[in-house]
Amino acid sequence: MSTTATAIAHPNIALVKYWGKRDAALNLPATGSLSLTLDVYRTRTILTWGAPRDRVVLGGTEASAADAARVLHFLDRVDGDRPPCEVVSENNFPTAAGLASSSSAFAALALAAVAASGQQRSLEEIAVLARRGSGSATRSLWGGWVIWPRGERPDGTDSHGAPLAPEDHWDVRLVVGLVSAGPKPVGSTVGMVHTERTSPLYAGWVESAEADLLVGRQAVVDRDLRALGEIMEHSAYKMHATMLAARPHIRYWRPETIRALEAVESLRKAGVPAYATMDAGPNVKVLCDTADAPAVAEALRGAVGDATILAPGGPAHLLP
Ligand code: DP6
């Protein structure tokens, strides 16, 4: 007998970043993080539990051996005795370019797998499962503003995304300046582990993260764009500084990345409160008031060529 489930999940962008693991096997973070789930961008995953054979199709083509193994290994965690499964997943935005595609991918996969297998698991348990696939995915189960605490338990059951405020809590925009839609040269997992092992700045990064998280959380609760913007830029620059100090260094930025960052600073000098963050890729994401989003998008287009305005988005969900 086969059962099919279809799940939708939106990517999230971290405002206070996750970069480093306290337990690589369980994928537990060294620090807590804070994120905003986005609208428009989404992953849709159709999972058939009980298929003729294991098969993974990503973006309309057969997955590479490595990608298929990562997906199938994840399904083994859902049920060690599972039947063959077919996974058909696609994104409506660039994949693996530092636009958080793994966050929506594993959130959708976890939700679809639990539903298709007929298991009864709470959303928190599904978020723990999603974390095993990719850390940031634990935050995409929820819409809006999400906290992922570091957690204290060795088994990681207290380290999963949790809602801070829903998507309608605060009407802001995140404008994505697209420098490159191509895959990033160094994946997040490899980049993090290398940074932990070789960057002399890593200890300071970990030590100072909890304070950033407290400031970020309060700024979201207070809807204080300046306070959130300042801590979010600080967290992003500090994360990149930490990986730039690795040996050999990891640098995701391109010349256009710097141009976009300069455009954001010019906007601020002109009185527009706009604040940047960058992930494991060259793209720049800018948080601003909704009324300022068109001006921010225009400035980013001038700097990098392409910009998209996104609003806070909703939680991952199953389609009927
Ligand atoms: C820079 O969640 O992709 O986007 O857990 O190793 O799969 P793994 O890493 P991943 O890393 C995200 C890193 C980041 C910051 C963030 O999203 O918090």
Side-chain angles (χ1 to χ4, degrees):
M1 204 192 74
S2 79
T3 330
T4 297
T6 302
I8 300 281
H10 299 285
N12 69 77
I13 296 298
L15 308 175
V16 175
K17 303 292 189 188
Y18 148 54
W19 194 258
K21 302 173 194 277
R22 70 179 163 94
D23 183 323
L26 291 174
N27 208 25
L28 292 172
T31 63
S33 54
L34 164 70
S35 62
L36 177 62
T37 300
L38 303 173
D39 72 349
V40 182
Y41 284 1
R42 58 115 187 93
T43 298
R44 188 186 62 203
T45 299
I46 306 168
L47 194 148
T48 303
W49 194 265
R53 61 184 173 88
D54 276 344
R55 184 170 181 229
V56 181
V57 178
L58 301 179
T61 50
E62 254 357 278
S64 68
D67 284 347
R70 191 169 171 197
V71 169
L72 295 169
H73 180 56
F74 181 84
L75 296 179
D76 294 339
R77 277 210 184 95
V78 177
D79 179 351
D81 206 20
R82 68 173 175 82
C85 291
E86 184 177 272
V87 177
V88 178
S89 187
E90 49 102 14
N91 294 336
N92 66 350
F93 62 99
T95 299
L99 288 175
S101 56
S102 70
S103 66
S104 50
F106 281 97
L109 186 64
L111 198 59
V114 168
S117 65
Q119 297 178 4
Q120 298 298 323
R121 296 203 199 195
S122 68
L123 208 48
E124 285 74 19
E125 287 166 333
I126 297 173
V128 166
L129 183 65
R131 187 200 74 220
R132 301 291 300 272
S134 188
S136 51
T138 194
R139 300 184 305 232
S140 271
L141 269 308
W142 281 273
W145 309 88
V146 178
I147 295 266
W148 172 22
R150 173 188 186 278
E152 296 305 326
R153 291 189 205 134
D155 69 357
T157 47
D158 60 347
S159 185
H160 57 77
L164 173 62
E167 58 273 26
D168 60 1
H169 165 72
W170 189 8
D171 190 25
V172 291
R173 293 292 179 266
L174 197 86
V175 186
V176 177
L178 196 67
V179 171
S180 163
K184 54 201 171 199
V186 183
S188 311
T189 310
V190 170
M192 278 184 213
V193 171
H194 178 68
T195 305
E196 284 161 37
R197 290 199 182 131
T198 66
S199 174
L201 304 190
Y202 182 70
W205 159 255
V206 172
E207 199 184 72
S208 58
E210 212 56 31
D212 297 349
L213 189 59
L214 286 176
V215 172
R217 172 199 283 262
Q218 196 57 47
V220 170
V221 170
D222 296 343
R223 300 187 188 90
D224 183 339
L225 184 59
R226 179 183 294 269
L228 181 61
E230 279 173 6
I231 204 68
M232 114 185 207
E233 279 201 350
H234 173 62
S235 178
Y237 276 106
K238 189 164 52 175
M239 177 184 80
H240 283 274
T242 307
M243 61 177 98
L244 282 167
R247 290 178 79 163
H249 69 272
I250 301 171
R251 177 175 53 79
Y252 289 111
W253 298 4
R254 301 250 193 98
E256 299 91 324
T257 310
I258 304 284
R259 280 217 289 278
L261 294 171
E262 282 183 347
V264 171
E265 284 173 23
S266 300
L267 281 165
R268 276 215 296 276
K269 279 192 194 116
V272 178
Y275 300 89
T277 189
M278 300 78 67
D279 292 295
N283 302 311
V284 176
K285 298 114 189 179
V286 182
L287 187 72
C288 62
D289 281 323
T290 301
D292 292 328
V296 170
E298 199 178 302
L300 284 177
R301 278 187 202 112
V304 307
D306 186 16
T308 306
I309 300 174
L310 300 167
H317 56 277
L318 292 165
L319 292 185

